Every structure is written in C-alpha cells, then in structure tokens.
Amino acid sequence: MAQVQYDCSTGNHPNITNSTASPVGHEQIQLLLQVCKEAKKSAYCPYSRFPVGAALLTCDGKIFSGCNVENACYPLGICAERTAIQKAVSEGYVNFRAMAIASNTEEDFIVPCGACRQVMREFNRDWDIYMTKPDGTYIVKTLQELLPLSFGPEDLKKF
Ligand code: THU
C-alpha cells in the first residue's frame, strides 16, 4: 500500500475543535487493527499470560509494531505500546498519528496503562488511540481525551 502523509501539526486534529488534520482512512485503520493483532502473537508474557500487541502509525505513514515483553524481575516488563514507540523513536520517527492496541480480552476494549499514556504524550497530544476487542470492534479516543491536563515537554520551557 502506498504510504500516506498525515498533517500532524499541533492543533490540527479531526477530533479536536478547529482541526484540519488528515483523518486516518478506513483502509489504514483496518491495517493497524491487523498489525496489532499480529504483533500480539509475539508477546513475551510468561508471568501475566496476558498478550498485548500494538501498531503505531507515524505521520509519514509508516507502521511500527510492538508487543509486551516481560521479565523475571517483574518491574522490568514493558508494555506493547511502549515497545512500538521505542522501536519507532530508535529509527528516527517521532511524529505519530495513531496507535491500535489488541489483547485477548473478549469483554472489554484494551486500554493503555497510565505509564504508556504519559510516554505517548511526550510525542504530542493530538493523535488517535484505537482500543480493540478480538472480534475487530474498537473505540477510538484522542490521547488528549485519555490523558487530560497532562504534563509534557512544553511545561519544562515555562520557567
Ligand atoms: N500490558 C500492555 O502491554 N499494554 C496494556 O495496554 C496493558 C497491559 C501488558 C503489561 C503486562 O505485560 C501485561 O500486559 C499484564 O499487565
């Protein structure tokens, strides 16, 4: 599929008032849903047995996948969302348009933990998080909705 460019400039977002950002198209959403489901298969989660997969769409239209990677020293485990973000940043991508997340929970949409929301927020507030169920249904919220009144890089420049 041809790579799509997204307008990711601050303040320009379809779910935010006065926004003119490019919406994520249906095909691209379906691809994100597929990639996060596939990434879940690589989850290393022998302790929780709770596999999670993530698919991160950059503003350049590139997709990075991630899964949770646990450790015998429990606090060192990392979530799928942060794995995807670290893969992207380490390859030079820091502008993000959307992320989709998958787990095996049938009853509820998988939601990102607080730590992941803060890590997402480091790279802007104006992107979409698709929270899925295994049956392919999803809910979508902006990061701003998931983490209102957040602290970020701009706050360090205020004094
Ligand atoms: N986990 C994620 O990877 N993402 C989430 O959104 C929620 C939780 C992981 C962390 C841990 O490996 C396992 O799921 C159980 O909490």
Side-chain angles (χ1 to χ4, degrees), residues 1-6 22-23 25 28 57-62:
M1 185 188 294
Q3 288 209 339
V4 187
Q5 289 283 331
Y6 296 94
S22 358
Q28 205 75 12
L57 176 65
T58 71
C59 294
D60 306 284
K62 203 170 156 52

Side-chain angles (χ1 to χ4, degrees), residues 44-45 48-53 67-70 77-81 101 110-113 116:
Y44 177 77
C45 54
S48 71
R49 299 194 187 285
F50 189 84
V52 183
C67 62
N68 51 336
V69 182
E70 298 182 348
I78 185 162
C79 294
E81 296 89 324
I101 314 163
I110 180 71
V111 294
C113 76
C116 286

Side-chain angles (χ1 to χ4, degrees), residues 35-105:
V35 171
C36 69
K37 213 168 182 176
E38 190 61 32
K40 186 182 64 179
K41 295 183 187 161
S42 302
Y44 177 77
C45 54
Y47 309 109
S48 71
R49 299 194 187 285
F50 189 84
V52 183
L56 175 62
L57 176 65
T58 71
C59 294
D60 306 284
K62 203 170 156 52
I63 295 178
F64 288 89
S65 65
C67 62
N68 51 336
V69 182
E70 298 182 348
N71 193 279
C73 178
Y74 290 1
L76 298 184
I78 185 162
C79 294
E81 296 89 324
R82 275 177 285 157
T83 302
I85 290 174
Q86 294 190 2
K87 282 171 69 178
V89 173
S90 64
E91 293 193 23
Y93 294 84
V94 291
N95 296 312
F96 306 134
R97 183 65 191 82
M99 180 183 275
I101 314 163
S103 82
N104 288 340
T105 307

